[in-house]
Amino acid sequence: QDGKAVYYAGESYTVAQTFDEGLYAYDAAARATHELCRPGLQIGAVAQAGERVWFTTMNATFDTDIWSVALSGGQPALELAVEEDLGFQNSGDTCRGGGVSFAGCGELLYFVKSDRHGAHLYRMASGAQPERISDENVWVNHFAVERGGRVLCAGLPAFGMMEVFALQNGRSSVLTHLNDEIMGKYALVQPRYLPFNSRDGVDLDGWVMLPPEAEKGKVPVILLIHGGPRGQYQGTLSFDAQVMASGGYAVIFCTPRGSSSRSCA
């Protein structure tokens, strides 16, 4: 943030990667690099917030955690243990482009984290619990923080295609209407939320899309299953599911355990 250093993760190896990555600082004035810490894990995102460098780690079971370390280096502190995916981008046909999902502004770290109904924006100070700052009307993909505290983000509405939103005081407001015309052009089927319990009693999240033919009686069903272990379904717009529903099929999909939004338990 002060323009004096670049913080990054890296690993030195000769034959094969070990994923024993270190966190480094490059001093632009001195043209020198020094190691801040070596957590012994694969490092993902890196950001500076205040007097600390924040970073994420991932282990072999895809569990992600947030750590921080002083700008001068030393023993890192575990700030947040997370079962869901950090930096998760809402999946689907309507998500395109790239951007920032983990960044510092002033003393605060801002990051995108998935939950069981999408992906939301959080912020936190060192040693404190995270605060969610996006509401249910937008699922955040990427963001930028203004100096005044307002956040601009690219994200999905509850049902639709990507737009630019403003987040402030816990509320979201849409700033662009790039896809209003195309959304009004077709008769689209909105997914209905369908929670259910697995055989061992664990609650899971599902959705069903019913074609108009379902009002007259039984219809054939297509079950959509996503790969993994990462990724998740949500109740947002899916082009292939819309085509199936328009062909007279009921479409059912769910987010099982082990998806981006929940652990394997």
Side-chain angles (χ1 to χ4, degrees):
Q1 293 185 27
D2 58 11
K4 297 180 179 179
V6 175
Y7 302 98
Y8 65 95
E11 176 189 1
S12 297
Y13 62 95
T14 55
V15 178
Q17 288 180 278
T18 63
F19 297 106
D20 179 17
E21 296 182 329
L23 185 67
Y24 299 91
Y26 174 76
D27 187 315
R31 296 187 177 182
T33 297
H34 70 277
E35 184 177 284
L36 300 179
C37 65
R38 184 176 290 275
L41 294 166
Q42 183 178 359
I43 298 177
V46 178
Q48 179 198 353
E51 297 300 313
R52 303 188 70 80
V53 180
W54 299 68
F55 61 97
T56 66
T57 61
M58 180 181 295
N59 61 23
T61 59
F62 297 99
D63 292 328
T64 49
D65 297 319
I66 297 180
W67 304 73
S68 75
V69 65
L71 296 182
S72 59
Q75 183 66 29
L78 178 61
E79 298 282 2
L80 184 66
V82 184
E83 291 183 341
E84 304 90 350
D85 270 3
L86 290 166
F88 175 79
Q89 298 179 13
N90 295 284
S91 57
D93 307 316
T94 64
C95 295
R96 292 293 182 267
V100 172
S101 59
F102 189 89
C105 183
E107 299 291 327
L108 299 176
L109 174 74
Y110 291 75
F111 60 94
V112 177
K113 182 175 74 68
S114 65
D115 64 23
R116 292 173 61 173
H117 297 281
H120 293 282
L121 184 61
Y122 292 78
R123 66 185 176 193
M124 66 182 299
S126 181
Q129 290 298 308
E131 172 195 11
R132 178 174 148 178
I133 61 174
S134 60
D135 61 21
E136 294 294 339
N137 296 319
V138 57
W139 299 342
V140 180
N141 269 34
H142 313 108
F143 66 89
V145 185
E146 295 181 326
R147 293 188 181 275
R150 187 177 73 156
V151 180
L152 302 180
C153 71
L156 291 173
F159 182 76
M161 302 172 71
M162 286 189 71
E163 301 287 353
V164 177
F165 293 79
L167 306 178
Q168 195 165 28
N169 300 324
R171 295 181 178 273
S172 66
S173 56
V174 62
L175 300 183
T176 62
H177 299 273
L178 304 174
N179 297 291
D180 285 359
E181 182 179 354
I182 195 70
M183 287 293 296
K185 185 177 180 179
Y186 299 99
L188 301 173
V189 178
Q190 291 203 27
R192 301 180 186 178
Y193 181 50
L194 184 69
F196 63 96
N197 291 328
S198 183
R199 287 177 294 180
D200 55 0
V202 174
D203 61 314
L204 298 173
D205 301 301
W207 293 265
V208 59
M209 295 170 57
L210 296 177
E213 290 85 348
E215 298 180 359
K216 302 177 182 179
K218 295 182 177 180
V219 294
V221 173
I222 293 178
L223 179 63
L224 293 181
I225 304 174
H226 77 70
R230 306 175 74 185
Q232 72 180 83
Y233 279 137
Q234 303 131 14
T236 188
L237 179 63
S238 168
F239 295 152
D240 53 355
Q242 290 293 331
V243 171
M244 296 173 190
S246 68
Y249 294 90
V251 184
I252 299 176
F253 48 94
C254 71
T255 297
R257 286 172 282 188
S259 300
S260 293
S261 57
R262 59 187 304 157
S263 68
C264 294

